[in-house]
Amino acid sequence: MKLDAHQHFWSYGENPGDFPWMTDDLAVIQRDFLPIDLAPLRAEVGIDGTIAVQAREMGVETDFLLGLAADDTSIRGVVGWVDLCAHDAEDRLDKYTDNPVFRGVRMLIHDREDPDFADSAPHLNGVNCLNSRGLTYDLLLRTIHIPAAIRLVDALPNQPFVVDHIAKPKMDGSDREAWETGMRGIAERPNVSCKLSGLVTEANCSNWTTETFGPYLDTVLEAFGTDRLMIGSDWPVCTLAASYAKAMGVVTDWSEKLSSDERAALMGDNCARFYSV
């Protein structure tokens, strides 16, 4: 089974104000992107199902994604948004935990001004509520946030975590040493996996090749091994720089050097195991 471990849906036309991060320079994605749009793209590259990840820090986001999943079985899991820093975070989580498609939570750590937000007391306390409910946590980071993320992981050694977008290193190499040190460090924690996703939009959107990402993919392969890596498209954000097929092709082309079992792991098996889908 082949799974896309990271993609998004949104209804922009009805809710443009819900996406403050979608500035005018991202006009190409200021429109609706729904399961009917993704279906032929998945079919083209043989992807059986996906994990739909939140794109809005709003309570209605989780309801929206679960509603889509109720009508489309290709959405194997939803990583929703819940305010884990709220005093009633457990009640908010319990609203969804009976839904088998609700598989995890993500807050936008890399958008916080405080680089230490990940292990701040309110956030840590909220993330601590997930494991007992069988939920995962997606770590959306940049290099500067990795140290605090490591402290969070160390505080919760039984909580399953996954780093989104290989923590978004700067493709000009300016933070390469710090990124590599951080990623090797967080990979030492066995409860942390990593998504090979979001790469094309971190490079020069109009001037990249598959080889651009090889050194970064090699680093996370060495750090995490093939049993904790999973492919993701970051569609439709990826369309700022590449089609769905080309974005997925970055990883599939790079992975040709691996064995068939290793490729099967990162193309879907690891994702299915991590999210229990």
Side-chain angles (χ1 to χ4, degrees):
M1 178 171 58
K2 294 184 178 181
L3 297 174
D4 178 347
H6 197 104
Q7 56 81 207
H8 309 283
F9 296 115
W10 55 70
S11 181
Y12 182 85
E14 294 182 2
N15 309 284
D18 291 355
F19 303 91
W21 59 270
M22 208 179 295
T23 52
D24 288 344
D25 57 326
L26 306 181
V28 68
I29 58 172
Q30 290 178 343
R31 65 175 183 83
D32 295 356
F33 288 91
L34 297 169
I36 193 172
D37 303 304
L38 182 57
L41 308 180
R42 286 191 299 101
E44 180 185 356
V45 295
I47 298 297
D48 301 301
T50 71
I51 303 298
V53 180
Q54 63 82 220
R56 297 179 291 177
E57 287 204 297
M58 305 177 69
V60 296
E61 176 73 344
T62 304
D63 297 301
F64 169 71
L65 294 175
L66 290 173
L68 294 179
D71 294 329
D72 192 320
T73 57
S74 72
I75 304 172
R76 304 297 173 86
V78 164
V79 175
W81 185 85
V82 173
D83 186 357
L84 296 177
C85 298
H87 67 88
D88 60 345
E90 292 190 84
D91 291 339
R92 298 185 187 209
L93 288 167
D94 288 341
K95 175 183 175 182
Y96 301 110
T97 48
D98 286 341
N99 189 320
V101 184
F102 182 61
R103 302 310 311 141
V105 177
R106 182 174 84 158
M107 295 187 75
L108 304 185
I109 294 174
H110 81 0
D111 285 349
R112 307 284 172 160
E113 292 185 8
D114 181 5
D116 295 323
F117 171 78
D119 74 325
S120 63
H123 183 251
L124 190 156
N125 291 338
V127 178
N128 191 35
C129 298
L130 299 179
N131 190 42
S132 63
R133 292 167 170 81
L135 299 172
T136 62
Y137 192 74
D138 271 49
L139 290 163
L140 182 62
L141 313 171
R142 296 190 187 276
T143 299
I144 193 173
H145 306 102
I146 298 176
I150 290 175
R151 296 194 298 269
L152 171 67
V153 171
D154 284 346
L156 304 173
N158 296 316
Q159 170 62 44
F161 292 94
V162 61
V163 176
D164 291 348
H165 312 327
I166 68 169
K168 294 192 171 186
K170 296 178 180 178
M171 291 297 168
D172 62 4
S174 59
D175 67 349
R176 176 69 183 275
E177 183 175 353
W179 171 81
E180 185 168 333
T181 298
M183 290 300 281
R184 291 188 185 280
I186 203 167
E188 291 176 356
R189 283 69 182 171
N191 56 320
V192 183
S193 297
C194 183
K195 291 184 182 181
L196 309 181
S197 58
L199 303 177
V200 295
T201 48
E202 293 304 307
N204 183 322
C205 287
S206 61
N207 184 26
W208 61 266
T209 66
T210 300
E211 289 72 25
T212 301
F213 310 106
Y216 297 90
L217 292 169
D218 289 343
T219 294
V220 294
L221 172 63
E222 182 180 344
F224 287 90
T226 55
D227 60 342
R228 288 187 288 151
L229 298 179
M230 55 190 87
I231 190 172
S233 66
D234 199 28
W235 181 92
V237 180
C238 71
T239 61
L240 294 166
S243 66
Y244 184 84
K246 287 184 177 180
M248 295 291 273
V250 168
V251 175
T252 55
D253 291 350
W254 165 81
S255 69
E256 287 180 358
K257 62 186 177 184
L258 304 177
S259 71
S260 58
D261 287 346
E262 290 171 331
R263 294 192 80 200
L266 70 88
M267 288 297 295
D269 292 351
N270 295 339
C271 176
R273 183 180 69 253
F274 180 82
Y275 286 114
S276 300
V277 297

